[in-house]
Amino acid sequence: METYLIALALRRAGYRDVESFQQAMTLPVTGQVDRATLQALEPYFLGYRRLRLQRGDTFWSLAQRFGVPVETVQAANPNLDPLRLPVGVQVTVPLPFPVVPVDIPMTSALCRLCIRGLVARYPFVQRETMTTTAYGRPVERVQLGRGREKLLYTAAHHANEWITATLLLSFIESLAKAAVLGQTIDGEDGAELLRTYTFHLVPMVNPDGVDLVTGALQPGDSQYESARQLGERYPQVPFPFGWKANLLGVDLNLNYPAQWEKAREIKFSQGYTQPGPRDYVGAAPLDQQETKALAELTRKLEPSLVLAYHSQGEVIYWQFADIEIPGARVLAERFSRISGYALEDTPYASSFAGYKDWFIQDFRRPGFTIEVGKGKNPLPLEQFPGIFEDNLGILSMVSG
C-alpha cells in the first residue's frame, strides 16, 4: 500500500500517525501498518462502514451518529425498509467525507478503492472489470443512470495525464450525490440526468503507466526497471514523468484502427520506432489489452457520444480527417462556451490512430478529445479545482 494512501486514511480518521491510530483502536502499538491496522483503516480508504443493526437503530440515528444526510444512508441500503430494520442485519453507513480525494496522485490502487467506495455508497453505480493489463492491473468501467441515451467517457489513456482519472471519478461522485440528495449538478437536476442518460466511464485506461508516473512503482521494482530500460532508448524523454505509454512501451492513444498506418509513418519518421515512453504505435492496431477491451466495449454500447479526456492545453478537438458528423460542430461550440476551452484542429502529427478518431470513423457520431489544464504533464493538483469547474458542464450538460 502506497505511503500516501496510508497518510490519506489517517488524515480522514483524524490521527497524525500510525501509533496514535493503533492506540485509539486498541491495537498493538508498533508503528507498522500490519494486517490488523490495514483492516482498521479500511473504512477511511473506502468512505463507508459496515455495521450490524442494534436494537433501536434507525437510518436517522445512524446518520446523526456519523454526521451524514439520512438520504445517503437510505441510498446505501436500498433493500432495507427503513420502518422495519431487523436487528443484526449488516448495513452500509457512509462516512462524512468524499470518497474521491483530489489532493493526492490517482494511482491504480486508489482508483480501485474509489470505485469500490462509490459502488457501496451508491449501489445504483455499477462496476465491471473490462480486462487486465499485461501486468495484471484491472481496467474498470463504471456505469450509472438508466436512460436510453448512452454516453461513454474515458480518461488516462496517457500515463502522465492521470489527473483526468480524478476528474471522471469526481464527476461520478458528484452526480450520484446530487441524484440522492435531490440536488443539481452545474444547474442540471441530478436525478433527471440519470433518468435521461446512461453514463459509462472508464476512468483509467492505462493503469500500468499511471503507476509508473505517480510513484506507485519505485526504483528496484522489476516493472519500474523494465520501463527504465525502455526509456533509455529515448533519453530526450524525461523519466518517469514524460512517460505516456503503457508498461509495454505502447502509446495507447496511437493504437486504434483509424489510419493507423499513417500514424506509424509519422511517428517512425520522428524516431519512435520501438517500444518506449511515448509515440510508439504498437505492432498492429488494437494489439494491446487496454485498447482492445475499450474498442470491444464501444462496439457493444454503440454510444451516441464519446468524450476522451487528456491533458494539457485547454482545447477541444472534434474532427477526424474530412468526416462530417451532423451536429458535432454545434456541440463542440457549446462545450467551448461552457468550459472556455478553444476549438482547434488536431495537429497533423497527432491526427491519426486515436480513440476519438476511430470512434468518429467507425460510428459516424460525435467524439471529442478534451485537453484539460495548462502547463507541463503531469499537471499539478493545484489545477484540479479549476479543471473540475471548467468541465463539469461538459460532463453533465450533453444535450440541447
Side-chain angles (χ1 to χ4, degrees):
M1 182 71 69
E2 292 92 341
T3 55
Y4 52 83
L5 293 186
I6 301 297
L8 169 70
L10 289 171
R11 185 170 74 246
R12 287 174 165 180
Y15 296 94
R16 67 183 184 279
D17 53 39
V18 174
E19 291 93 333
S20 57
F21 177 78
Q22 289 171 329
Q23 186 174 16
M25 297 293 111
T26 65
L27 296 169
V29 181
T30 64
Q32 304 299 312
V33 184
D34 53 25
R35 181 177 298 180
T37 303
L38 268 180
Q39 185 175 3
L41 283 170
E42 186 176 63
Y44 304 101
F45 293 123
L46 299 173
Y48 68 91
R49 283 191 176 279
R50 295 284 285 166
L51 304 174
R52 293 203 176 275
L53 287 170
Q54 305 296 315
R55 189 172 302 278
D57 280 344
T58 64
F59 284 165
W60 184 85
S61 67
L62 291 172
Q64 292 294 301
R65 188 193 313 172
F66 287 94
V68 296
V70 66
E71 293 90 345
T72 64
V73 182
Q74 293 172 332
N77 301 278
N79 297 323
L80 291 178
D81 182 346
L83 300 179
R84 297 180 178 83
L85 295 179
V87 172
V89 167
Q90 201 170 55
V91 294
T92 299
V93 183
L95 295 179
F97 52 79
V99 173
V100 182
V102 299
D103 56 353
I104 62 174
M106 182 55 66
T107 66
S108 69
L110 180 55
C111 183
R112 293 195 300 273
L113 289 170
C114 289
I115 292 172
R116 276 184 62 191
L118 291 170
V119 169
R121 282 170 61 149
Y122 306 103
F124 54 86
V125 176
Q126 302 171 46
R127 67 188 294 193
E128 174 196 32
T129 297
M130 297 162 48
T131 190
T132 54
T133 68
Y135 288 95
R137 293 178 181 85
V139 179
E140 295 193 287
R141 173 182 66 93
V142 180
Q143 175 183 331
L144 68 166
R146 56 186 186 277
R148 295 183 61 184
E149 190 168 351
K150 300 173 185 176
L151 312 171
L152 179 53
Y153 302 165
T154 68
H157 262 88
H158 288 145
N160 61 359
E161 300 172 11
W162 52 260
I163 200 169
T164 59
T166 303
L167 173 63
L168 289 196
L169 290 167
S170 295
F171 170 68
I172 294 166
E173 182 160 24
S174 297
L175 178 54
K177 180 180 177 182
V180 164
L181 296 182
Q183 297 175 346
T184 61
I185 178 168
D186 204 67
E188 295 288 307
D189 181 86
E192 182 61 27
L193 283 172
L194 296 187
R195 285 190 290 268
T196 304
Y197 303 106
T198 301
F199 295 85
H200 300 267
L201 307 98
V202 184
M204 191 175 287
V205 177
N206 183 7
D208 285 354
V210 164
D211 278 358
L212 175 67
V213 175
T214 56
L217 296 176
Q218 290 289 306
D221 181 278
S222 61
Q223 295 176 29
Y224 183 98
E225 297 304 328
S226 175
R228 191 208 297 271
Q229 290 178 10
L230 294 180
E232 288 173 353
R233 298 171 173 174
Y234 302 92
Q236 74 275 20
V237 180
F239 183 84
F241 298 119
W243 196 276
K244 297 174 69 175
N246 66 8
L247 289 186
L248 297 180
V250 175
D251 190 319
L252 297 179
N253 206 44
L254 292 170
N255 193 237
Y256 294 90
Q259 299 190 37
W260 176 87
E261 294 81 4
K262 188 66 177 177
R264 180 178 60 181
E265 176 185 329
I266 293 169
K267 297 306 178 183
F268 273 39
S269 73
Q270 295 173 342
Y272 296 101
T273 60
Q274 56 186 332
R278 55 175 294 165
D279 289 343
Y280 176 63
V281 300
L286 304 181
D287 69 341
Q288 301 300 296
Q289 287 296 108
E290 301 93 330
T291 54
K292 180 181 178 182
L294 183 54
E296 289 175 350
L297 173 68
T298 308
R299 294 188 188 106
K300 175 183 175 182
L301 295 177
E302 296 186 352
S304 60
L305 174 141
V306 153
L307 301 181
Y309 268 95
H310 290 259
S311 65
Q312 50 75 41
E314 296 188 352
V315 297
I316 299 172
Y317 302 120
W318 60 282
Q319 296 171 296
F320 175 62
D322 57 356
I323 300 172
E324 294 286 340
I325 305 298
R329 174 77 192 201
V330 171
L331 192 52
E333 290 173 345
R334 184 165 173 271
F335 288 169
S336 177
R337 289 194 302 271
I338 290 169
S339 63
Y341 290 4
L343 295 187
E344 293 188 6
D345 294 333
T346 308
Y348 180 77
S350 303
S351 293
F352 309 99
Y355 174 63
K356 173 267 293 178
D357 307 327
W358 170 73
F359 179 76
I360 291 174
Q361 170 190 274
D362 278 26
F363 291 84
R364 293 301 201 269
R365 293 174 181 175
F368 303 90
T369 293
I370 301 177
E371 302 272 1
V372 306
K374 279 191 173 180
K376 185 177 181 181
N377 288 323
L379 294 176
L381 278 165
E382 288 77 12
Q383 289 197 26
F384 183 79
I387 289 171
F388 187 73
E389 181 178 354
D390 290 344
N391 286 276
L392 188 58
I394 295 176
L395 291 161
S396 60
M397 297 176 65
V398 292
S399 70

